[in-house]
Amino acid sequence: MVVSLHSLLCATLALASAAAGAPATTQDKHFVVEQVKNPHFQRSGPLALAKAYIKYNVPIPSSLQQAIENVKPSRRDTGSATTTPEQYDSEYLTPVQIGTPAQTLNLDFDTGSSDLWVFSTETSANDVDGQTLYDPSKSSTAKKLSGYTWSISYGDGSSSSGDVYTDKVSVGGLAVTAQAVEAARVVSDSFTSESNLDGLLGLAFSSINTVSPRQQTTFFDTAKSKLSSPLFTADLKYHTAGKYNFGFIDTSAYTGSIAYTAVDPSQGFWEFTARGYAVGSASLSTTALDGIADTGTTLLLLPDSIVRAYYSKVSGAQNSNSVGGYIFPCSTSLPSFSFGVGSSRFTIPGKYMNYAPITDGSSTCYGGLQSSSGIGINIFGDIALKAGFVVFDGGNQRIGWAAKTLS
């Protein structure tokens, strides 16, 4: 990717930002974390797809690159934001307390990565644009790990990096001590542009943590011994705030039973095999789908053959080189998309498959399902996750999906 493309993406291809969440409720050995959607985040279909390429260090295809070069970035501090609230349902931030006394930062919870990194007082002033900064000098429990560093690299060659402290970290009322907190020194523009994003809390497996010379555990792994059950759940919602629960399963949050399937953690992700797929009310195919559940990716990314099969049922749909993906008239009623988990069938409602107008006020919309072929891995992002109640069971290395009452 060329530098000019990186500069274009910097203000719009960022992880989500939001206001701080409501106070969390706590119980013995389990805790609840509320999420609040960001009313200012401007979303774009091509940029959402490009974000996945960048996240997984894959060059962006030329057609998609051309499409995003036509997207003008908007900066929060200019007051440029989309005003349609129903467009904002994909990305959230959660308040996290770090240090003693506590410093509250708004972090993106990401099941596709394993670093807890934050903007800090060590971050270059040129890389800061309104973020809350972690100041280890003001925490009596902060301890620098001498000689330790971290670095996250992107497909365009840019990176975010810094040094490492251990400190007290509290999420939803549960505190852990000596948690690795990665303090940023250099932050790539794609993060700087999101003024409400103070960092990221990774929830993948600790095996892909980037700290050197010795990897550190994720917050979830550090907290496991304090939990009633070694799991957390994601209850992302459509057009409204969602919730993360740690240590317990809220039986009021879903209907029916939870269908579990094994997770393969060998690559560090919550990777599972879906048992077939279906468009609309058709029977599930016999095609097995290996993919990862990733709260940090907006779209549902699957093989070309499945994407073509889906959009063949969508009136007016076309794969547009100029936009960098499948588009269709916004007035079109989309079919649902289903996939198998264990012995159950899990369904994403058709309205969820419509990601957004290609530009504000456009009558053409960008599909929530796009091709994974260029990335090389199937990703069940927020388009899928927000349609269900999802259990990330670290103790049994399995993932569970359940239906919930739809908005």
Side-chain angles (χ1 to χ4, degrees), residues 30-339:
H30 60 251
F31 55 107
V32 178
V33 186
E34 298 280 352
Q35 299 171 307
V36 176
K37 65 182 179 181
N38 170 23
H40 301 292
F41 181 74
Q42 181 175 356
R43 63 184 187 178
S44 158
L47 291 175
L49 181 56
K51 173 184 171 182
Y53 276 83
I54 289 177
K55 179 176 181 178
Y56 292 97
N57 201 30
V58 179
I60 295 176
S62 58
S63 60
L64 180 58
Q65 178 174 322
Q66 183 60 48
I68 59 181
E69 285 176 351
N70 295 325
V71 178
K72 294 182 179 180
S74 63
R75 294 177 60 87
R76 179 179 303 281
D77 57 9
T78 66
S80 175
T82 305
T83 59
T84 308
E86 65 267 19
Q87 292 187 355
Y88 306 97
D89 60 350
S90 297
E91 302 185 340
Y92 304 82
L93 287 182
T94 304
V96 175
Q97 287 72 46
I98 303 176
T100 307
Q103 303 172 41
T104 299
L105 282 76
N106 293 322
L107 307 185
D108 176 39
F109 283 22
D110 180 17
T111 60
S113 67
S114 301
D115 289 71
L116 194 172
W117 73 264
V118 294
F119 281 79
S120 73
T121 50
E122 299 177 355
T123 306
S124 169
N126 291 332
D127 294 338
V128 178
D129 186 19
Q131 288 81 11
T132 297
L133 306 180
Y134 166 61
D135 187 348
S137 70
K138 293 184 178 179
S139 172
S140 64
T141 47
K143 179 181 179 181
K144 188 171 185 177
L145 294 182
S146 179
Y148 280 64
T149 60
W150 63 279
S151 178
I152 298 177
S153 298
Y154 298 89
D156 63 353
S158 63
S159 66
S160 299
S161 59
D163 48 24
V164 185
Y165 291 81
T166 60
D167 208 340
K168 178 180 179 180
V169 176
S170 180
V171 177
L174 179 72
V176 299
T177 59
Q179 171 62 45
V181 178
E182 301 164 33
R185 285 184 175 272
V186 178
V187 177
S188 56
D189 291 343
S190 56
F191 293 113
T192 299
S193 64
E194 288 296 324
S195 60
N196 279 356
L197 174 68
D198 302 327
L200 186 146
L201 189 148
L203 291 171
F205 290 89
S206 295
S207 61
I208 57 172
N209 175 265
T210 71
V211 173
S212 177
R214 187 173 68 247
Q215 290 177 314
Q216 301 295 298
T217 57
T218 65
F219 173 82
F220 174 57
D221 278 347
T222 306
K224 274 183 181 178
S225 63
K226 295 180 176 291
L227 301 177
S228 297
S229 298
L231 57 81
F232 64 93
T233 63
D235 188 13
L236 306 182
K237 295 184 178 180
Y238 179 69
H239 292 167
T240 192
K243 183 182 295 184
Y244 284 103
N245 292 339
F246 288 78
F248 75 106
I249 295 174
D250 182 359
T251 57
S252 68
Y254 64 92
T255 61
S257 59
I258 301 173
Y260 287 99
T261 190
V263 163
D264 177 2
S266 61
Q267 301 300 312
F269 301 117
W270 292 90
E271 183 174 358
F272 67 101
T273 299
R275 183 185 52 80
Y277 76 93
V279 178
S281 59
S283 299
L284 288 177
S285 73
T286 58
T287 303
L289 293 173
D290 291 332
I292 66 173
D294 182 4
T295 60
T297 295
T298 302
L299 304 176
L300 172 62
L301 304 178
L302 297 177
D304 280 340
S305 59
I306 296 176
V307 177
R308 287 195 300 267
Y310 180 80
Y311 287 108
S312 70
K313 305 296 184 182
V314 177
S315 177
Q318 60 176 302
N319 190 5
S320 171
N321 286 332
S322 64
V323 176
Y326 277 87
I327 59 175
F328 46 84
C330 293
S331 59
T332 298
S333 179
L334 301 182
S336 61
F337 183 87
S338 302
F339 56 94

Side-chain angles (χ1 to χ4, degrees), residues 328-332 357-365:
F328 46 84
C330 293
S331 59
T332 298
I358 58 173
T359 58
D360 290 345
S362 174
S363 60
T364 300
C365 282

